[in-house]
Amino acid sequence: MPKMSVGLAMAVLIIGNLIAVFSDALIKTLSADSAVYQFVLFRQLTAVLILLPFCLTCSKTSFIDGLKWHFLRGHIWLFGAVFMVIALNSMPLATANAIFYAAPLIMLPLAMLLFQEKLTIHSISAGILGFIGVLIVIQPTQINWAAIFALIVAFTLAVNNLLIRKLPKHQTVFQTLMLTNLVGIPVSLGLVLWEDKPWDWAPMLTAVGSSTFILIYAGLAILAYRSGEVSKIASAEYSGLLGAVAVGILWFDEMPDFGMVIGTAFIVMPLIWLARIEAKKIS
């Protein structure tokens, strides 16, 4: 796969994050008494069915390469999805997404520790300004369980994106996404049995839509993080907050206040600044 420029990788991440917001919005439409583990299992099963036609022509030998990393990512993805469903149904869409977007800031020190990436003053500044924007948006006055669950989601997103670098590069995006969902199904089924709620197939259509949107995001994230340096492109993840604000207004009548406007400016402007700096380096 040709190496993406930093600007292109950031653009791919921005598109992916805007699409992912619609997955979050669909999750938020679930009723309060929905079986969380059943819904997560439905998402995994529908994801596998969606991806299966694209994987039939792939080499079976290459399909199992790097299985330990797929196993690790798949279970991180699974538990992140569980906490995401709980968080989204406990707080406003934009607020939950603002906390989710702590992930790029978490990725910066992890990228330095795990991959010895050198953090530039520009990437550090963009990450810190973006996180300040997140704090302005959520205006934290107290820590509750929903916020803690959202922070756990942010951590799982950060680790999962970093682990993409460990996956075999010859595997297609479809293979990677298939394995991410497939390896977690046994544990997911075990959680459903432990939850011990009556089977409810009503959320299946919601699961299909949520899976479709999140697969598009995950595929674009794989392309971007395989091709670009994590510390330089991770701040582009913050852009999805704009989509969350828009969808929150149109779908859930969640009107942003002045703090939301200022916060999104802190999030978006450093992205534009960082992209221009990287473009100047290339030219």
Side-chain angles (χ1 to χ4, degrees), residues 1 5 14 17 21 51 102 121 155 162 176 188 191 194 208 224 265 275:
M1 179 187 297
S5 66
I14 289 171
N17 275 273
V21 171
L51 293 165
I121 187 64
F155 187 81
L162 286 171
T176 300
S188 185
L191 290 172
W194 175 78
V208 172

Side-chain angles (χ1 to χ4, degrees), residues 48-171:
V48 169
L49 291 175
I50 292 169
L51 293 165
L52 186 59
F54 300 100
C55 295
L56 290 176
T57 57
C58 298
S59 168
K60 292 182 180 179
T61 302
S62 65
F63 194 73
I64 61 173
D65 290 346
L67 195 57
K68 66 178 181 180
W69 296 112
H70 289 293
F71 185 85
L72 179 59
R73 287 189 75 249
H75 288 86
I76 293 173
W77 181 272
L78 166 62
F79 288 106
V82 171
F83 287 114
M84 181 179 291
V85 172
I86 298 172
L88 286 169
N89 282 285
S90 305
M91 55 203 320
L93 181 67
T95 304
N97 272 269
I99 301 175
F100 295 164
Y101 292 128
L105 191 62
I106 296 171
M107 289 171 65
L108 293 176
L110 288 179
M112 180 181 66
L113 292 173
L114 298 177
F115 299 106
Q116 291 74 52
E117 283 193 11
K118 293 181 179 179
L119 300 183
T120 67
I121 187 64
H122 304 116
S123 60
I124 293 173
S125 299
I128 292 175
L129 288 173
F131 190 62
I132 291 173
V134 168
L135 294 178
I136 293 173
V137 168
I138 64 176
Q139 301 176 17
T141 56
Q142 61 180 4
I143 297 296
N144 54 40
W145 282 111
I148 292 173
F149 290 158
L151 284 171
I152 293 173
V153 173
F155 187 81
T156 62
L157 289 171
V159 174
N160 243 341
N161 285 334
L162 286 171
L163 288 178
I164 289 171
R165 302 275 290 275
K166 293 289 189 178
L167 301 180
K169 294 186 183 298
H170 63 269
Q171 288 178 335

Side-chain angles (χ1 to χ4, degrees), residues 212-269:
T212 301
F213 289 127
I214 205 64
L215 284 174
I216 295 172
Y217 160 74
L220 293 176
I222 289 170
L223 290 174
Y225 286 115
R226 273 181 174 172
S227 303
E229 289 186 49
V230 170
S231 59
K232 292 181 179 179
I233 68 176
S235 295
E237 297 273 7
Y238 285 125
S239 60
L241 182 55
L242 293 176
V245 172
V247 173
I249 293 172
L250 298 174
W251 200 331
F252 302 104
D253 198 26
E254 299 171 350
M255 294 300 296
D257 55 16
F258 184 68
M260 178 68 75
V261 176
I262 298 299
T264 52
F266 267 82
I267 291 167
V268 175
M269 296 308 295

